[in-house]
Amino acid sequence: MFTTRFAPSPTGYLHLGHFFSAWTAFSRARAERGVFRLRLEDIDPTRCRPEYAAAIVEDLAWAGMFWDGAVRVQSRHLVEYGAAAERLERMGLLYACFCSRSEIARAQAAPHGAGAVYPGTCRRLSAEERADKMAAGLPYALRLDVGRAMAGAGKPRFFEESEGWVTAAPELLGDVILARREVPTSYHLCVVHDDAVQGVTHVIRGEDLRDSTHIHVLLQHVLGLPTPVYAHHRLLTDAAGKRLAKRDFAATLRSMREAGETPAGLWRRVGEFRAVA
Ligand code: GLU
């Protein structure tokens, strides 16, 4: 059964850009007579707030966008994500990274540095160096060893609706963090786990997550999970061409509603955007 989802992080109120994303997935699910699921990606307690989570559910319901089944709330499933991280660790695909943000920034900026990608400093630590740092109680995060994971995964591919078959290039993002001390999992791991748990056959989301898809497809391969079809849509921008962000309060569904906008008006707006896109 065609199944897609909308998976916002409750770090602020929904704005028109989110609504466009939700609407794109929702309309497609309805056109396919499929399933539309809602998931709240609230694993980061430093950025997510329960009042935003409640507001997302309320705003979507007000807008007349109904989802199938229960809302999946990620913070209630940390044990599952921890188990997935442990599996990867047992496969030897994670390594401890002790680098601070500033150390990483310095290494990236160095001549021949890796640009925005983690330069792999801690991947090259000897077992002894690693044990010493652990014994000294240094804080660390667990990173995915992309090179090693790729070596065992062959050449994973995914179907992107606008492009056709794409060979995964997870080196675009490199050795991403899959777990931290404060949050024992990460966006990448939770998304992959939950898309499988929720039976998602089509991931429809903004093109800002296009590079992440390459990591997700690799994780699906090593964890033995199915790879959905992907469709990355364009992002809504403001009149100046700047991407809408949560800080642009003027465009939140709440403020629009307070200013007298109706659900029908909202649907017209996103529909018109698609018509001219
Ligand atoms: N939670 C992510 C966000 O709000 C979206 C995740 C996804 O669609 O895969 O940007």
Side-chain angles (χ1 to χ4, degrees):
M1 164 89 79
F2 181 103
T3 302
T4 189
R5 55 25 169 220
F6 176 50
S9 303
T11 56
Y13 293 118
L14 289 184
H15 57 62
L16 202 55
H18 294 116
F19 188 72
F20 177 69
S21 196
W23 177 86
T24 305
F26 176 86
S27 313
R28 179 74 189 277
R30 289 296 168 264
E32 304 273 353
R33 296 187 191 282
V35 171
F36 174 68
R37 303 226 180 264
L38 178 60
R39 176 163 89 223
L40 295 175
E41 304 209 319
D42 63 342
I43 51 164
D44 184 349
T46 61
R47 297 179 57 233
C48 299
R49 294 217 224 128
E51 57 268 35
Y52 290 138
I56 288 174
V57 170
E58 193 191 300
D59 288 349
L60 289 177
W62 167 76
M65 189 166 290
F66 292 100
W67 51 92
D68 298 292
V71 180
R72 182 162 170 101
V73 181
Q74 287 191 329
S75 56
R76 298 186 191 149
H77 300 278
L78 294 178
V79 174
E80 290 170 46
Y81 309 132
E86 259 170 44
R87 272 187 68 199
L88 294 171
E89 198 161 16
R90 278 200 303 275
M91 290 181 216
L93 298 181
L94 302 186
Y95 64 89
C97 171
F98 303 89
C99 295
S100 66
R101 279 181 211 278
S102 55
E103 281 166 342
I104 295 174
R106 267 201 305 279
Q108 285 168 338
H112 311 297
V117 169
Y118 176 66
T121 321
C122 288
R123 189 185 342 106
R124 292 185 285 270
L125 290 178
S126 66
E128 204 178 4
E129 288 170 317
R130 194 165 291 151
D132 283 350
K133 286 180 188 286
M134 292 260 181
L138 290 183
Y140 63 89
L142 292 174
R143 288 188 181 272
L144 176 67
D145 187 334
V146 164
R148 187 175 279 193
M150 277 301 269
K155 283 200 178 356
R157 295 191 312 160
F158 62 96
F159 193 79
E160 160 65 51
E161 288 195 337
S162 63
E163 289 172 42
W165 286 101
V166 177
T167 301
E171 60 280 5
L172 282 170
L173 289 190
D175 291 357
V176 291
I177 290 181
L178 286 196
R180 291 180 193 277
R181 201 171 28 188
E182 327 79 81
V183 187
T185 183
S186 64
Y187 159 67
H188 298 298
L189 195 52
C190 298
V191 159
V192 162
H193 179 83
D194 284 356
D195 282 339
V197 167
Q198 293 190 292
V200 171
T201 60
H202 288 68
V203 172
I204 299 171
R205 62 183 177 191
E207 67 184 6
D208 52 328
L209 293 167
R210 196 182 279 266
D211 287 354
S212 296
T213 297
H214 295 264
I215 292 283
H216 299 172
V217 170
L218 173 59
L219 286 174
Q220 287 150 6
H221 266 254
V222 294
L223 289 170
L225 302 172
T227 293
V229 170
Y230 286 86
H232 295 94
H233 61 72
R234 299 183 334 133
L235 301 179
L236 268 194
T237 53
D238 65 12
K242 189 168 72 65
R243 176 182 158 192
L244 293 180
K246 281 178 189 152
R247 58 186 173 275
D248 299 323
F249 296 111
T252 66
L253 297 200
R254 303 226 130 188
S255 59
M256 289 164 67
R257 175 175 165 186
E258 275 154 25
E261 182 60 284
T262 59
L266 204 57
W267 284 69
R268 230 181 355 261
R269 275 187 198 228
V270 288
E272 278 164 10
F273 175 80
R274 196 160 74 170
V276 297

